Amino acid sequence: LLKRAEQGDPEATRFVAIGHEQGLFGFAENSVEARNYFEKASDLGDPVAQVVIAELLLGEDGSEKDEEAVELLKSASKADNPQATAKLGYCYASGIGLPKEDHNQAKELYQLALMTDDTDGNYQSNQLPFDDLKAEVNLLMVFSEIEENPHTTLGLWFVPDLSLIHI
């Protein structure tokens, strides 16, 4: 695994990162090494690693880091990663890493995330199961609508696995 990662295999590099993150595959748990390998995998174009690094950047201070995170999410979203698409929608809804909020673009991205099935069976660190992603995206859509139109009555929204929520 390490040999493939050293040869520039993005997926192997991500798995080495996961190994360091969780102490798997014979690697010692080491958050610094995990981040280094996630960054390498992200640089190699691995969409899952791009989401992981984007999440880390969004948790740090600075608009430059937010802008970098948005670019990583755009790249991962283009690779049909639904988590990246949903998180990118959140960035558009909130104006994070972007010049301004764009609720219409956020809604389009949320819908796209729901339509993008990610069931290839590969383990993906820091990602929700697809049903949980659907629930998260539905909630994000509701809250985006509330932010955009605070005086609008939304009625009942169905959220998978969370029953009905009345707003």
Side-chain angles (χ1 to χ4, degrees), residues 4-166:
R4 284 182 42 213
E6 290 171 353
Q7 294 172 344
D9 180 325
E11 187 175 40
T13 305
R14 174 174 32 102
F15 277 99
V16 171
I18 293 167
H20 282 295
E21 177 185 53
Q22 300 180 11
L24 300 172
F25 316 125
F27 295 101
E29 217 173 293
N30 183 327
S31 61
V32 173
E33 282 297 303
R35 181 166 181 154
N36 288 338
Y37 277 98
F38 275 124
E39 286 176 348
K40 288 177 188 176
S42 175
D43 291 345
L44 291 167
D46 183 86
V48 175
Q50 289 172 331
V51 172
V52 171
I53 295 302
E55 288 175 340
L56 292 172
L57 291 171
L58 289 170
E60 298 174 359
D61 291 329
S63 61
E64 289 178 13
K65 294 188 186 269
D66 290 345
E67 291 169 9
E68 184 180 347
V70 166
E71 291 307 312
L72 289 172
L73 292 173
K74 285 179 180 179
S75 176
S77 179
K78 286 179 185 173
D80 294 329
N81 182 296
Q83 286 77 15
T85 305
K87 289 177 191 320
L88 186 58
Y90 175 77
C91 289
Y92 273 94
S94 306
I96 295 172
L98 299 160
K100 63 179 184 168
E101 295 175 2
D102 185 340
H103 291 277
N104 290 329
Q105 182 65 28
K107 289 176 192 174
E108 287 179 26
L109 289 164
Y110 292 150
Q111 289 295 335
L112 182 60
L114 289 174
M115 293 185 317
T116 307
D117 190 355
D118 185 25
T119 56
D120 62 3
N122 292 331
Y123 170 80
Q124 298 182 359
S125 176
N126 294 336
Q127 291 195 359
L128 297 170
F130 195 71
D131 285 342
D132 290 344
L133 175 69
K134 289 178 187 177
E136 179 184 15
V137 168
N138 274 308
L139 286 173
L140 288 170
M141 289 173 67
V142 169
F143 294 127
S144 281
E145 184 68 27
I146 291 168
E147 285 179 6
E148 186 178 5
N149 302 305
H151 302 292
T152 300
T153 301
L154 297 176
L156 292 174
W157 282 66
F158 180 73
V159 180
D161 300 323
L162 294 177
S163 70
L164 291 174
I165 294 178
H166 183 73

